[in-house]
Amino acid sequence: PTDAPDAAQARARSAPAPVTDVAKLCVCDLLVAQCDVNCCCDPDCSADDFSLFTTCSVPVVTGDSQLCSQKAAVYSLDVEANPPERIFKLIDQVNPSIFCIHATNYKQALYLKSPEIPTPENFDQLLDKFGGASFSAEPDSWNLDTDAQNPPDANETYRYEYGVPVQTEDAFLRLPSPVVSSWCSDANPAGFLVNQATKCIRSVSVEKCDSIQALSMLFYINSSILAVTDIKSVFQVNITVQSIVVQSLNGMRTLLNSSDVLRLPMVLDELCINAVLGVNYHITHTDTGEIIEAAAAFVLGAISKEALSIEQSFEISFTQENTQPVPLSGNPGYVVGLPVRAGFRPQGYPFPAGFVFASSNKHNQLTILQSTSTQDCLEAQGTRAPVLFGYNMISGCKLRITAAMKCQPLAQTLLDVLKGQSFPEYVASFGNSQAQDVLDWVPITQLHISEQMISNTLQSSCQIPVSLGIEVKWTKYGSLANPQARIVNVTATTTTTTLKQLPSGRERIIPITSSVVFTDISSPAEPGYKAWPTINIKLPFDFFYPFV
């Protein structure tokens, strides 16, 4: 028939079969092979687990929220049943927004395809296709199997993302931790970019110590880590032994010169020696989420026959290649109680790529004067306390001034007491701001206030600093459901006073103070206040994407 070509073209352009089964999606399933509390879509949960749930943390699971019509998995609890049961329904959900997608009939748009790299063999072909003033972006055919013929690069598709369990050739990288009680559970996976430190209790028996896997170094390094999350990937990273520290029964530790030889647990003179007491993993990754190196530092010790259990400690940290590891104060927003990160601008700024902030102290922290028991300012010089995010702080000391003191050296000494040897010029706006990200650092505004101290008996005068006040303004950034603390402004105000020369034999005590105040400037506007007229219309949450 004459309409055969049109019908064939219509079938070719029809929507493909759904690639996402919402009944199998579960955003709250965080633990591997374990039931997550109140996660009604977790396939690891049994009917007995559901009977203990109090609510469904994720009641509705959908696929692409931009579709006009799609399937939705609805979860609820029947609390009137004995025992309570989980109820699952699969319904058709309609998107009321006029900005919605009717059909996803172009499967190549479901992933970002890596561009074709010009080579001597394909240069002429690419020049013919893209060398003109305009070209068509529509593919030659609407074959639904084009992604099977030209799949995306596996390494690009399966990069690690934050929180994803670090996979090994047989399961995942274990980081033992206490779950319900203080006893160790080996089912806790290490999450990518999630720095963790845990301690737990392990039951032991000296007679069987050589057969307890968790006491052996091999248990923690015998599986290779997958460089990417694809289980079919051939790129694997072996865990190397970085160092071995041996701890005696009295707690004394000794670093071994060689870490090439594995020390396995064994029974010797009624002691279990070479038992693993602690493991510290260090993972190196690229900026695109590929693991390139893994190392483990061990603490081995001896266990006496009287011991029925031991305490083990585990830690894991992540470092991006070609960067210096620095302690973070949040990810991304600041966490209350962690230090405010700070630094200063190196000489020669500005210059092109490679801008790096250097730290003002070995811990990359903003610090203030730390009070001492004697309250003597001259003894307190060099003693600093870190500024903790969200904590208003005040400290001080007392300065005894005599007629023999010279003005200028005294003023410089007090300035060093208040600001330290090298006061930073910038603070990190986020808890995980990297040194090379220039826009993530906030300059510290320096202010100076002068006060007058009047004395009719003194003949000459000079200016000395007596207080330093730091005000940190921060705001809640990001989603209302999970706001992140971001520093937007820092002001350091130095107050000086006029001190006149004392007569011979006279002395005076002056208090020196240092303070930090945190101000939340993200408070909502007052009720009834309208700066601009508003339009009562609801747009999709990502209507302005990629603009903020």
Side-chain angles (χ1 to χ4, degrees):
T2 57
D3 60 345
D6 295 336
Q9 186 178 13
R11 287 193 300 271
R13 292 178 178 266
S14 62
V19 295
T20 301
D21 185 1
V22 294
K24 297 181 180 179
L25 286 180
C26 191
V27 295
C28 58
D29 184 10
L30 304 179
L31 299 178
V32 178
Q34 293 188 49
C35 178
D36 293 81
V37 178
N38 289 339
C39 182
C40 295
C41 56
D42 192 343
D44 298 319
C45 297
S46 62
D48 294 337
D49 296 324
F50 292 135
S51 65
L52 301 177
F53 287 5
T54 57
T55 184
C56 289
S57 59
V58 180
V60 180
V61 179
T62 59
D64 191 348
S65 59
Q66 298 179 342
L67 293 177
C68 298
S69 178
Q70 62 175 321
K71 293 289 185 180
V74 180
Y75 299 90
S76 61
L77 292 176
D78 184 5
V79 295
E80 296 181 357
N82 188 15
E85 299 176 349
R86 183 200 68 170
I87 301 176
F88 167 73
K89 294 181 181 179
L90 194 63
I91 64 173
D92 292 322
Q93 188 178 65
V94 178
N95 188 353
S97 174
I98 61 174
F99 303 98
C100 62
I101 299 175
H102 179 67
T104 55
N105 54 1
Y106 183 28
K107 290 190 66 177
Q108 287 186 345
L110 298 179
Y111 60 83
L112 180 62
K113 186 176 180 180
S114 301
E116 189 174 359
I117 306 300
T119 61
E121 291 75 16
N122 64 2
F123 181 81
D124 294 336
Q125 178 185 357
L126 295 177
L127 183 63
D128 294 339
K129 185 176 181 180
F130 302 105
S134 62
F135 57 87
S136 174
E138 185 171 328
D140 298 333
S141 65
W142 292 79
N143 187 0
L144 299 182
D145 294 330
T146 52
D147 60 337
Q149 299 173 7
N150 299 304
D153 184 5
N155 286 348
E156 294 293 337
T157 306
Y158 297 100
R159 302 290 189 187
Y160 278 103
E161 296 180 355
Y162 176 83
V164 174
V166 177
Q167 299 186 18
T168 60
E169 54 186 347
D170 54 355
F172 49 82
L173 183 63
R174 302 179 182 90
L175 193 72
S177 64
V179 179
V180 179
S181 63
S182 59
W183 297 100
C184 293
S185 172
D186 297 325
N188 178 49
F192 184 67
L193 296 184
V194 181
N195 296 334
Q196 299 183 64
T198 63
K199 289 184 178 180
C200 54
I201 305 298
R202 180 90 61 181
S203 61
V204 296
S205 173
V206 172
E207 294 79 8
K208 301 179 181 179
C209 80
D210 54 351
S211 61
I212 301 177
Q213 291 186 342
L215 300 181
S216 173
M217 293 177 59
L218 287 175
F219 182 71
Y220 304 97
I221 62 174
N222 61 352
S223 296
S224 299
I225 295 177
L226 301 186
V228 292
T229 58
D230 184 13
I231 59 176
K232 299 180 181 179
S233 174
V234 296
F235 302 100
Q236 297 182 359
V237 178
N238 294 326
I239 303 177
T240 60
V241 179
Q242 187 177 41
S243 63
I244 298 178
V245 174
V246 177
Q247 177 176 305
S248 62
L249 287 175
N250 59 7
M252 182 178 296
R253 294 189 174 186
T254 304
L255 177 64
L256 299 183
N257 295 328
S258 177
S259 58
D260 298 334
V261 180
L262 291 178
R263 292 176 171 260
L264 301 180
M266 59 182 299
V267 180
L268 181 64
D269 296 334
E270 298 184 344
L271 292 177
C272 176
I273 63 174
N274 298 332
V276 173
L277 302 181
V279 184
N280 190 339
Y281 290 109
H282 186 75
I283 308 297
T284 304
H285 62 91
T286 65
D287 57 350
T288 57
E290 181 179 354
I291 295 177
I292 59 176
E293 187 177 344
F298 288 91
V299 176
L300 306 182
I303 306 174
S304 62
K305 65 176 182 178
E306 293 82 9
L308 301 179
S309 63
I310 61 171
E311 182 183 65
Q312 290 181 311
S313 61
F314 302 92
E315 188 173 350
I316 186 170
S317 59
F318 295 83
T319 302
Q320 182 176 321
E321 64 173 342
N322 300 326
T323 61
Q324 292 294 331
V326 293
L328 302 182
S329 297
N331 194 13
Y334 275 98
V335 175
V336 175
L338 294 184
V340 174
R341 303 174 61 230
F344 61 90
R345 188 171 59 190
Q347 297 293 332
Y349 175 84
F351 50 85
F355 180 80
V356 175
F357 282 83
S359 74
S360 59
N361 53 66
K362 63 180 181 179
H363 299 296
N364 293 39
Q365 298 169 358
L366 182 65
T367 61
I368 65 170
L369 165 68
Q370 181 175 350
S371 300
T372 61
S373 57
T374 61
Q375 293 293 303
D376 188 346
C377 289
L378 299 181
E379 292 183 3
Q381 186 176 4
T383 305
R384 312 292 296 173
V387 175
L388 305 181
F389 182 83
Y391 286 6
N392 296 338
M393 308 170 65
I394 185 169
S395 62
C397 59
K398 294 179 181 180
L399 175 66
R400 185 183 301 272
I401 300 177
T402 64
M405 290 184 174
K406 301 297 183 181
C407 174
Q408 295 302 326
L410 177 62
Q412 184 60 47
T413 299
L414 289 179
L415 195 62
D416 292 342
V417 169
L418 290 172
K419 289 189 171 183
Q421 293 295 328
S422 180
F423 192 74
E425 299 176 348
Y426 293 83
V427 298
S429 58
F430 291 102
N432 67 344
S433 297
Q434 298 295 321
Q436 63 270 21
D437 297 334
V438 183
L439 298 180
D440 270 1
W441 293 78
V442 178
I444 300 177
T445 303
Q446 302 279 354
L447 299 179
H448 297 273
I449 300 177
S450 178
E451 294 180 348
Q452 296 293 328
M453 179 183 293
I454 301 176
S455 176
N456 296 327
T457 62
L458 305 182
Q459 299 176 350
S460 59
S461 62
C462 71
Q463 293 282 334
I464 61 171
V466 293
S467 69
L468 173 66
I470 301 176
E471 183 184 17
V472 180
K473 295 181 179 178
W474 64 281
T475 183
K476 299 181 180 70
Y477 180 86
S479 170
L480 293 177
N482 185 25
Q484 302 294 310
R486 176 186 184 183
I487 294 177
V488 295
N489 181 269
V490 179
T491 303
T493 304
T494 304
T495 302
T496 60
T497 188
T498 302
L499 180 65
K500 295 185 178 181
Q501 180 67 39
L502 289 170
S504 178
R506 296 280 300 273
E507 66 179 27
R508 175 173 297 165
I509 296 178
I510 298 179
I512 308 297
T513 60
S514 185
S515 62
V516 178
V517 176
F518 286 84
T519 305
D520 182 4
I521 62 173
S522 58
S523 301
E526 297 180 1
Y529 175 80
K530 292 185 178 180
W532 300 96
T534 59
I535 300 176
N536 188 18
I537 185 173
K538 184 178 181 181
L539 296 176
F541 72 98
D542 55 352
F543 181 73
F544 296 100
Y545 180 83
F547 304 101
V548 178

